[in-house]
Amino acid sequence: GAVVSQHPSWVICKSGTSVKIECRSLDFQATTMFWYRQFPKQSLMLMATSNEGSKATYEQGVEKDKFLINHASLTLSTLTVTSAHPEDSSFYICSARSVIQETQYFGPGTRLLVL
Amino acid sequence: AQSVTQLGSHVSVSEGALVLLRCNYSSSVPPYLFWYVQYPNQGLQLLLKYTSAATLVKGINGFEAEFKKSETSFHLTKPSAHMSDAAEYFCAVNSGGSNYKLTFGKGTLLTVNP
């Protein structure tokens, strides 16, 4: 149980295009999902907290118009990187909070490369 | 405010040796504490968690951790390292509140030598 999926697992795009990443909790409902960014050999940096049916809460320094988050259902949150640039290349990881188990479960991550 | 310090960015042990990964936390309220493992190019997998029940927590793959309030520590141990334990390990704290945010340590890379 407590499986979280992400799609796609990797994506290569041209500079200026937008990329959408999906995060799904497969066997539990998640009222709260989180989006992280991880640079090579570094820890996870929380970008935003996504609550089902409401606007996401962004961490300081994260551009909300750049990283659009939608949490339309209890099992799906999406992150759209708009007008991507090479500096947006990174490993993006989502997590979903299981209310019952009081634990965050993480997806496998999406590697984004912007050319 | 909450924070996590992982002492030692890189720990190297021999196969069969004791594994000890250190984690100290700072929290203004009783914390929930977690250890996650990350294999290359993968997400994080939960190893174990402390949520105010027993102070000695057993997790998957033979790992365990002990919550010591007096030392504000939550060190991860395994009696005998296996080659498959080589990975990055992250300690994280959640001090409650409505946002349920985790604060991660910087991680410790564990290498296991044959």
Side-chain angles (χ1 to χ4, degrees):
Chain A
V3 178
V4 177
S5 70
Q6 274 184 249
H7 178 79
S9 56
W10 61 270
V11 57
I12 301 173
C13 69
K14 293 182 178 180
S15 185
T17 60
S18 293
V19 175
K20 179 185 283 188
I21 303 170
E22 293 185 350
C23 177
R24 294 181 184 271
S25 56
L26 298 184
D27 51 4
F28 65 101
Q29 294 184 331
T31 55
T32 305
M33 291 184 171
F34 302 86
W35 287 96
Y36 297 84
R37 185 172 179 176
Q38 186 179 33
F39 292 101
K41 300 187 185 300
Q42 294 189 28
S43 188
L44 280 72
M45 181 191 79
L46 180 65
M47 298 174 66
T49 302
S50 168
N51 292 296
E52 187 266 337
S54 63
K55 291 184 178 180
T57 302
Y58 291 82
E59 295 299 300
Q60 190 173 9
V62 179
E63 300 177 58
K64 62 180 181 181
D65 295 329
K66 172 76 170 176
F67 299 99
L68 300 179
I69 292 173
N70 183 273
H71 192 161
S73 77
L74 289 173
T75 59
L76 172 65
S77 176
T78 61
L79 168 69
T80 301
V81 183
T82 62
S83 186
H85 288 92
E87 58 265 31
D88 299 324
S89 298
S90 191
F91 194 50
Y92 293 88
I93 305 176
C94 73
S95 71
R97 180 178 176 271
S98 166
V99 175
I100 295 174
Q101 300 188 42
E102 298 178 303
T103 301
Q104 284 187 35
Y105 292 95
F106 286 79
T110 297
R111 188 161 300 283
L112 171 63
L113 177 61
V114 184
L115 302 177
Chain B
Q2 56 190 31
S3 65
V4 174
T5 301
Q6 290 185 241
L7 295 175
S9 59
H10 185 195
V11 171
S12 182
V13 300
S14 298
E15 190 174 18
L18 171 71
V19 175
L20 171 61
L21 305 182
R22 299 178 185 275
C23 173
N24 289 87
Y25 70 90
S26 172
S27 175
S28 57
V29 299
Y32 287 4
L33 293 158
F34 305 82
W35 275 100
Y36 288 90
V37 60
Q38 184 180 33
Y39 297 98
N41 297 309
Q42 295 186 28
L44 274 66
Q45 180 182 5
L46 179 68
L47 275 178
L48 49 80
K49 63 181 179 182
Y50 167 77
T51 56
S52 75
T55 57
L56 181 62
V57 181
K58 294 186 183 298
I60 62 171
N61 301 338
F63 285 94
E64 63 180 38
E66 186 172 8
F67 172 68
K68 292 187 176 180
K69 184 178 178 180
S70 61
E71 299 177 8
T72 61
S73 69
F74 190 57
H75 302 329
L76 182 70
T77 60
K78 181 174 181 177
S80 177
H82 192 273
M83 296 297 288
S84 60
D85 295 327
E88 187 88 26
Y89 291 80
F90 292 97
C91 181
V93 63
N94 166 237
S95 296
S98 60
N99 57 20
Y100 309 109
K101 291 195 293 188
L102 287 176
T103 298
F104 284 89
K106 293 187 176 182
T108 298
L109 178 64
L110 174 67
T111 57
V112 181
N113 304 307

